[in-house]
Amino acid sequence: MRKAKKDVHPMPELAFWDHCIYIFLIIVFLALGVGLLFVTFKIRDMIAMQDPLVIAVEDPVSLLWCIPAVFCVMIIPFAFLATCYKERRPIFGRRNFRYGPPTYPRIYPLFAKKKPKEKVSQYVRKHRRFTAMALLAVFLVCLLLLPLSFYGRKCLRSDASVNVYNMYNAETKHYTKTDVKKVVFDTYRAGSKGSYWSVQVILTMENGKSYYFGVPDFVDGSSGGNYHWLSEMTKIKEAFPSEQVYYSGENKINAVIARYEMNQEEAALFRRLFS
């Protein structure tokens, strides 16, 4: 008669400290990804602000070059750690607990003192080495692409001119105030899924190109106080004759005032912007 096959149970619950280590590492790599995005935005703004006349910077397209680096720093480690956590792969393991066959799969704590040596074929070793080198190469390439997200931008200057730079920090277009055909102050839905109302200034050039600058694009944005971006938008309006200035979405002025919690002085300045 054939011997009954012993049941192999799923991996046991992780030890308390293993739980803590996994959660800590997941939080660290998520924070690194978010931090990398924050640093990328700050570096781009610092480069743009080397011109003291720049009052607003916009270009979400070039910032996409930082996505591969963020993916490598945050998503890949997160996916790996989450998988190991779900599979209950121990790091230090439970004290005085017997891992491995016949009761459990052939998985041992990462830092086990008396971990049985695993017999690995030459093919598996080569495959692991190739995978490690490929991942390292991908990581390095992604880091090399990161600087491309620093430079591409559209800059609005205090003299109502617009400078356009490519991802190599070379100026590709320079529009003076005389190149502007019309200026539109527009209220629009912003945020995730258009969750709130905001305002932007749109400069359309004689060649038909339009450039959009919203509240977050201005230096310090709303974090620097409403009066800052309001005064800068007012200066842009005053730089052009009234026949070149247009308005859109005036019926949402109160919604914008409420969104940015403007005081009486700021609300009055905002209403004058649309009159």
Side-chain angles (χ1 to χ4, degrees):
M1 295 180 61
R2 294 174 60 187
K3 291 183 179 180
K5 188 178 179 180
K6 292 186 177 180
D7 291 333
V8 177
H9 302 290
M11 290 297 293
E13 284 289 335
L14 293 171
F16 172 76
W17 287 112
D18 286 353
H19 273 290
C20 294
I21 292 170
Y22 272 117
I23 293 171
F24 173 75
L25 289 176
I26 287 172
I27 292 173
V28 165
F29 282 105
L30 288 176
L32 283 174
V34 174
L36 184 59
L37 279 175
F38 177 79
V39 169
T40 299
F41 276 79
K42 283 297 181 182
I43 291 176
R44 188 201 67 167
D45 288 346
M46 288 172 58
I47 292 171
M49 295 310 149
Q50 289 177 349
D51 181 352
L53 294 181
V54 170
I55 60 174
V57 183
E58 189 274 335
D59 188 32
V61 176
S62 67
L63 289 171
L64 295 177
W65 286 106
C66 73
I67 290 179
V70 173
F71 183 82
C72 285
V73 170
M74 180 171 66
I75 304 300
I76 292 178
F78 173 80
F80 173 76
L81 289 169
T83 300
C84 291
Y85 183 76
K86 184 179 179 181
E87 293 177 353
R88 301 177 183 175
R89 291 183 173 269
I91 299 174
F92 289 99
R94 296 182 170 208
R95 185 177 297 179
N96 300 323
F97 189 89
R98 184 172 180 178
Y99 288 91
T103 308
Y104 297 101
R106 194 176 295 276
I107 298 174
Y108 301 91
L110 183 63
F111 296 107
K113 293 181 179 179
K114 297 180 180 180
K115 183 164 54 176
K117 290 186 178 180
E118 181 184 5
K119 294 182 180 180
V120 182
S121 66
Q122 192 70 17
Y123 172 80
V124 172
R125 288 179 182 175
K126 287 183 178 180
H127 179 72
R128 288 178 178 177
R129 191 179 301 116
F130 173 80
T131 302
M133 294 299 293
L135 288 174
L136 178 61
V138 170
F139 180 71
L140 292 175
V141 169
C142 290
L143 286 183
L144 290 173
L145 291 176
L146 181 61
L148 298 179
S149 63
F150 297 159
Y151 302 116
R153 63 195 183 276
K154 304 173 182 88
C155 298
L156 175 62
R157 305 169 85 225
S158 57
D159 59 0
S161 63
V162 175
N163 291 350
V164 180
Y165 296 85
N166 63 18
M167 60 186 178
Y168 304 109
N169 204 29
E171 185 180 88
T172 58
K173 290 183 178 66
H174 174 70
Y175 298 99
T176 64
K177 188 172 72 171
T178 58
D179 295 317
V180 180
K181 182 179 180 181
K182 69 176 181 178
V183 180
V184 179
F185 290 92
D186 169 54
T187 61
Y188 71 105
R189 283 194 174 275
S192 176
K193 299 180 180 179
S195 57
Y196 65 90
W197 287 91
S198 188
V199 60
Q200 62 186 352
V201 56
I202 307 168
L203 287 82
T204 301
M205 308 302 169
E206 291 289 349
N207 62 5
K209 290 278 188 180
S210 294
Y211 297 93
Y212 299 72
F213 299 94
V215 173
D217 300 322
F218 281 81
V219 179
D220 294 330
S222 56
S223 64
N226 293 321
Y227 188 81
H228 177 77
W229 61 265
L230 279 168
S231 60
E232 295 294 356
M233 283 193 179
T234 300
K235 290 175 185 176
I236 294 299
K237 175 185 175 181
E238 293 172 347
F240 297 93
S242 58
E243 58 268 20
Q244 280 185 262
V245 181
Y246 299 83
Y247 309 99
S248 176
E250 298 96 319
N251 60 324
K252 295 301 179 182
I253 286 177
N254 289 334
V256 177
I257 291 173
R259 166 63 178 85
Y260 290 102
E261 300 178 346
M262 298 182 192
N263 57 37
Q264 289 185 350
E265 182 184 0
E266 292 167 347
L269 184 60
F270 184 62
R271 288 193 173 93
R272 284 201 298 272
L273 187 66
F274 276 79
S275 60

